[in-house]
Amino acid sequence: MTLAQSFEEDTSRTIVVEGHTDNLDIRYSLTERFLANWELSTARSAAVVRLLQEKGNIQPEKMTASGVSYYRPIAPNNSEETRSQNRRIEIILVPVR
């Protein structure tokens, strides 16, 4: 069973996909598309939501895409290695109310 299949079969939870970034300013090559890390983190999560919907057959009303920017790091932003850990998505399963 794939991850998407387990999400599809679980009717007791919704899916929140959070996008995260490091604390560096957006590279010049990306500034036309993303004004700041908020937009980049949201685009990151939206891409995963779209993938789950299109390839995983997850109903869109079951998902939320959210951008967190660099405000919840899991590692210090003091080296390329640790910054790369902060450029991530998190999938959070939330009980249906």
Side-chain angles (χ1 to χ4, degrees):
M1 174 182 288
T2 68
L3 184 62
Q5 286 172 322
S6 68
F7 291 161
E8 185 178 20
E9 293 175 6
D10 186 353
T11 58
S12 67
R13 294 181 258 201
T14 60
I15 302 162
V16 176
V17 180
E18 286 186 349
H20 299 264
T21 65
D22 60 31
N23 68 339
L24 298 180
D25 289 337
I26 300 293
R27 290 190 319 241
Y28 180 76
S29 61
L30 296 175
T31 56
E32 284 189 25
R33 186 164 176 212
F34 306 112
L35 296 175
N37 279 308
W38 280 112
E39 289 86 359
L40 176 58
S41 65
T42 303
R44 188 169 279 158
S45 65
V48 172
V49 165
R50 189 176 329 102
L51 180 72
L52 288 171
Q53 178 185 351
E54 293 174 0
K55 302 290 184 187
N57 299 313
I58 307 297
Q59 296 301 309
E61 59 271 4
K62 190 174 177 175
M63 297 184 286
T64 301
S66 174
V68 180
S69 187
Y70 54 80
Y71 295 105
R72 292 190 209 150
I74 59 170
N77 279 299
N78 57 9
S79 73
E80 178 54 36
E81 181 181 338
T82 57
R83 279 191 298 274
S84 70
Q85 294 173 40
N86 292 323
R87 297 186 295 266
R88 68 191 191 284
I89 59 104
E90 294 181 3
I91 298 176
I92 303 162
L93 302 177
V94 179
V96 174
R97 295 187 263 196

